[in-house]
Amino acid sequence: SIMHAMAGDHKLTFGTYNCRGHREDTLKYISHLMKECDLLFIQEHWLYESELTKWGNSIGNVNVTGISPMDESQLHIGRPYGGCALISNKSTPVSIIPCDDETNGRFHACKAVVCTGKEPIRFLIINVYMPCDNDSRASAELYQDTLDCASALIETHSDIDYMIMGGDLNTDLRRTQSTNTVALQNFCERELLHP
């Protein structure tokens, strides 16, 4: 999905895509999306953090920052699901600064500074890959824990002008009795966000 936001005189275009891997056709589709997007939230890239730079080189004219659920110092068999990345178009007047205080492997947070007017505009950007909405207690607790970590991150970044949280929220807002939907709506109300 794609969303637009105004930053001073500049219209920013945000997109989100759960790519479920990093095949060649996935990179082609991401390259296509980056023709429309200034910033693209990626979930489930299944890459090591060191591979994200190479991935950015394959797409071209972009910067990539992200997290991986895989520890590169350990031997792995197969690849676990997960990973979040933020791809920014180099032609956009935005500086991306990854946040060092992330406390949960299910999201990647950055500050984006847009310098198009007299004063820079600062965004806190949180890209999430939330647990599935399967009505299990463990999944609900992890979902709530991830939202609590996002709240703590928002609280520590009081110097921002706007906050955007996107990604794979793994819930359907029409399912009003879903534990994940209720938790997400409570989070949005608490943080004064629009779902």
Side-chain angles (χ1 to χ4, degrees):
S1 65
I2 293 182
M3 178 190 91
H4 304 285
M6 292 302 293
D9 297 332
H10 190 81
K11 180 173 85 170
L12 292 176
T13 303
F14 295 85
T16 184
Y17 176 52
N18 182 322
C19 61
R20 292 189 47 83
H22 53 275
R23 300 171 310 276
E24 186 176 330
D25 60 333
T26 300
L27 290 175
K28 286 180 183 177
Y29 185 64
I30 290 171
S31 295
H32 169 75
L33 289 174
M34 288 310 297
K35 291 177 185 172
E36 297 179 41
C37 295
D38 296 302
L39 298 165
L40 182 63
F41 298 72
I42 297 289
Q43 304 82 45
E44 287 198 89
H45 54 65
W46 303 353
L47 295 167
Y48 291 109
E49 283 184 36
S50 64
E51 294 175 306
L52 288 171
T53 304
K54 296 175 195 170
W55 203 34
N57 293 338
S58 297
I59 297 166
N61 198 39
V62 298
N63 292 313
V64 180
T65 180
I67 59 163
S68 172
M70 298 181 291
D71 181 354
E72 294 185 49
S73 67
Q74 296 180 1
L75 181 62
H76 294 275
I77 298 173
R79 291 185 183 259
Y81 293 108
C84 291
L86 179 67
I87 302 176
S88 59
N89 197 319
K90 286 184 179 179
S91 61
T92 302
V94 176
S95 298
I96 303 294
I97 306 152
C99 296
D100 293 330
D101 49 359
E102 294 178 24
T103 56
N104 184 306
R106 288 204 163 260
F107 65 80
H108 177 57
C110 297
K111 282 187 186 179
V113 181
V114 182
C115 299
T116 60
K118 295 176 185 173
E119 295 290 324
I121 299 170
R122 294 171 184 84
F123 288 87
L124 176 62
I125 296 174
I126 301 176
N127 178 14
V128 296
Y129 173 52
M130 297 299 274
C132 290
D133 192 358
N134 61 11
D135 292 327
S136 77
R137 183 176 176 88
S139 179
E141 287 175 359
L142 184 56
Y143 200 96
Q144 185 61 55
D145 180 55
T146 303
L147 291 174
D148 292 343
C149 288
S151 288
L153 189 67
I154 293 166
E155 188 175 320
T156 61
H157 288 85
S158 59
D159 61 333
I160 60 160
D161 301 305
Y162 301 99
M163 197 281 266
I164 295 177
M165 183 168 149
D168 189 343
L169 299 172
N170 264 326
T171 195
D172 183 344
L173 294 176
R174 296 173 294 188
R175 293 180 58 218
T176 58
Q177 301 305 309
S178 160
T179 306
N180 288 5
T181 297
V182 170
L184 181 61
Q185 288 176 332
N186 289 339
F187 167 79
C188 289
E189 286 177 23
R190 186 174 63 246
E191 298 300 338
L192 304 174
L193 300 173
H194 301 285

